[in-house]
Amino acid sequence: MDGMNDMNDEVDGDLLEEELRRAAGILDPVPPALRQLAVEAYALHDLDAQLAELTFDSLTDAIPVRGATDVPRMLTFHSGDVTLDVEVTAQGLMGQVLPPRSGTVEVLNGPQPGVPLLADDMGRFASDTTPAGPFALRLRTGGQVVVTQWLRV
């Protein structure tokens, strides 16, 4: 008899969840612009792009310094033989492509195309603008395209 009650509770829970989803969709729908932004953020822009994996994030991997405020966020991404080191601060972002090579780095930040940042011969690039909301980086160097995973600042 307990098995039957558990099954009824599960069915009741599923029905309740479905009703709550419908109510939320009517009373508090997702704005169309936000839905479009979400779709485009995760759309595959470069079919041949290599995905660069986040291998270091100072928010989770570094030991916090007592009393330090407004510390930069350090990020490292790897994809094959390419490494992207990035520092994000309130003043903007800067980084380096390793091994050093020239190219362009685009900050993906929504539906509008990002402004390309030029990486010099040493692989260094910088921007005066701090990414807002979710962002990713797209590196184009030679015939190679590398895209980082999406992060929040």
Side-chain angles (χ1 to χ4, degrees), residues 34-143:
L34 182 58
R35 183 182 306 272
Q36 183 65 29
L37 180 66
V39 167
E40 290 177 1
Y42 292 100
L44 193 56
H45 293 283
D46 295 304
L47 293 176
D48 295 332
Q50 297 174 317
L51 182 62
E53 178 184 4
L54 179 66
T55 57
F56 177 81
D57 184 346
S58 61
L59 284 181
T60 58
D61 300 326
I63 298 172
V65 177
R66 186 173 165 178
T69 59
D70 198 27
V71 295
R73 183 171 181 189
M74 308 297 291
L75 304 165
T76 300
F77 300 93
H78 287 285
S79 177
D81 65 337
V82 176
T83 299
L84 262 137
D85 284 327
V86 181
E87 179 179 315
V88 181
T89 67
Q91 291 76 34
L93 69 81
M94 66 178 148
Q96 185 173 18
V97 181
L98 298 169
R101 58 183 86 172
S102 61
T104 59
V105 177
E106 186 179 357
V107 179
L108 307 175
N109 197 322
Q112 65 278 5
V115 177
L117 308 172
L118 295 178
D120 64 15
D121 290 340
M122 296 297 293
R124 299 172 299 197
F125 59 92
S127 170
D128 294 340
T129 307
T130 301
F135 78 98
L137 300 173
R138 179 185 300 139
L139 166 67
R140 294 179 193 272
T141 178

Side-chain angles (χ1 to χ4, degrees), residues 21-39:
R21 284 183 193 278
R22 272 193 247 144
I26 293 168
L27 298 173
D28 190 21
V30 176
L34 182 58
R35 183 182 306 272
Q36 183 65 29
L37 180 66
V39 167

Side-chain angles (χ1 to χ4, degrees), residues 9-23:
D9 289 344
E10 187 176 316
V11 170
D12 290 343
D14 291 343
L15 291 174
L16 176 62
E17 182 179 353
E18 184 59 34
E19 288 296 318
L20 289 172
R21 284 183 193 278
R22 272 193 247 144

